[in-house]
Amino acid sequence: MKRFNLKNSNGINADIIDAGAAVQSLFVPDKNGNYEDIVLGLETPEEYLSNNDPYFGVIVGRYGNRIDEGKFSLGGKSYQLTINEGTYHLHGGVNGFSKKIWSTEKIKSNLGDAVKLVYHSKDMEEGYPGNLTLTVIYTLTEANELRIEYEASTDKETVLNPTHHSYFNLTGNPQNTILGHEVMINADKYTPVNKTIIPTGELASVMNTPMDFRKPTEIGLHIEDDNEQLKIAGGYDFNWVINDFTGKVRKAASAFDSNSGRLLEVFTDQPGIQFYTGNFLNGKAIGKNETAYKYRCGLCFEAQHFPNSPNEKSFPTTVLKPGEVYKQTTIYKFSVLNQ
Ligand code: GAL
């Protein structure tokens, strides 16, 4: 396994590995200056490449989240992707980008320590048309940001929706749940789902629902509400429609842990963000330091296009054509608030 340690002069540091292009660890200070690892992760590359890994810290692709029945049509042709969960295609299939060894290169950046990872996906891999090359650059900046820049091109029309899948636990101790974190999501709407967790196509208002995170709200406050959507997903596991989608980077979400004082802010140019509260974690995945990752001990903020977009004409398009360049910028920024 190749591992790169990115650090800045404030002592923040991250390990990035070639397996799944994953962030394996990320040490940030609390309000007393104690550095602790705030992401869930595994010890060995084999564990990252196994099909049981719940996508800890990896880059997911070709398509993050669900595509209904793994089917879509493009240019008059129908495509059938692999079905790797329930009745749908999830996170790029059986052996998506998160289950591959990426090529790596340490690069120079004016913004800070950086590493570039590249994956070449073959025509019809997991059922997707086109030879596609995806480059991901992780940079740890002096402004205490982990920046993720994506670039991709294809030789045939295809669909693409890569995302980053870190599970954060800002307490620095994954034995704690994330239910006490206060979350803000800059979204007036979200995409409700049907019984198979596929968006219905509607953009629904968050007003007067447990999905309203426009003001910072403790995750645990409404997660057990008698709400049909929460019941279907088993907690928070939805796509929010981030306000002001113009292609420019803007604030999407934040999470704050008042005990440690750690604040995480997420900025992205993407139209949506999946906020997932680790509802499928059940203590079976054993991570770093032999920690059993229990129910709701990590939260994900996955900047993305909406799930099932290839089958929803009203959603922003995820089609990439030959000659076009796909780009995405997503930033996770860390600071401390003394409250
Ligand atoms: C999330 C997804 C969840 C679950 C998880 C991996 O991105 O929204 O439903 O699949 O990944 O266990």
Side-chain angles (χ1 to χ4, degrees), residues 167-192:
Y167 288 72
F168 296 95
N169 186 320
L170 300 178
T171 72
N173 179 358
Q175 303 290 354
N176 300 322
T177 73
I178 44 71
L179 294 176
H181 289 42
E182 285 165 33
V183 161
M184 188 285 297
I185 306 177
N186 175 27
D188 298 335
K189 293 181 176 151
Y190 77 107
T191 52

Side-chain angles (χ1 to χ4, degrees), residues 228-297:
E228 199 211 338
Q229 289 285 302
L230 286 172
K231 292 233 156 77
I232 292 174
Y236 290 108
D237 189 2
F238 306 103
N239 170 70
W240 272 257
V241 180
I242 310 166
N243 292 336
D244 309 318
F245 174 50
T246 60
K248 293 220 171 75
V249 174
R250 77 286 194 213
K251 187 158 170 175
S254 66
F256 175 63
D257 168 46
S258 58
N259 288 324
S260 65
R262 290 192 181 97
L263 173 69
L264 158 66
E265 293 167 283
V266 187
F267 302 84
T268 187
D269 54 10
Q270 294 298 287
I273 194 161
Q274 188 84 11
F275 168 48
Y276 168 58
T277 45
N279 314 306
F280 294 118
L281 296 176
N282 54 12
K284 283 202 182 130
I286 308 295
K288 295 169 283 188
N289 310 312
E290 296 183 9
T291 312
Y293 289 133
K294 295 193 207 128
Y295 191 47
R296 296 181 175 161
C297 75

Side-chain angles (χ1 to χ4, degrees), residues 19 77 97 125 261 286 296 319:
K77 274 198 196 154
F97 296 4
E125 187 178 79
I286 308 295
R296 296 181 175 161
V319 174

Side-chain angles (χ1 to χ4, degrees), residues 14 41 65 69 87 89 95 149 152 172 186 218 233 243 310:
N65 213 283
E69 294 182 357
T87 51
H89 176 87
N95 277 307
E149 268 138 337
N186 175 27
E218 231 177 80
N243 292 336

Side-chain angles (χ1 to χ4, degrees), residues 139-196:
T139 310
L140 191 67
T141 74
E142 286 302 313
N144 301 337
E145 302 158 332
L146 182 66
R147 286 180 75 93
I148 312 180
E149 268 138 337
Y150 303 68
E151 212 173 286
S153 57
T154 179
D155 65 358
K156 268 190 208 150
E157 203 175 8
T158 190
V159 295
L160 176 67
N161 181 33
T163 188
H164 176 71
H165 209 289
S166 270
Y167 288 72
F168 296 95
N169 186 320
L170 300 178
T171 72
N173 179 358
Q175 303 290 354
N176 300 322
T177 73
I178 44 71
L179 294 176
H181 289 42
E182 285 165 33
V183 161
M184 188 285 297
I185 306 177
N186 175 27
D188 298 335
K189 293 181 176 151
Y190 77 107
T191 52
V193 293
N194 66 19
K195 293 241 159 21
T196 61

Side-chain angles (χ1 to χ4, degrees), residues 114-132:
V115 60
K116 175 170 145 182
L117 299 105
V118 181
Y119 179 65
H120 298 287
S121 169
K122 292 241 158 63
D123 187 25
M124 295 315 283
E125 187 178 79
E126 299 290 337
Y128 291 99
N131 292 292
L132 176 122

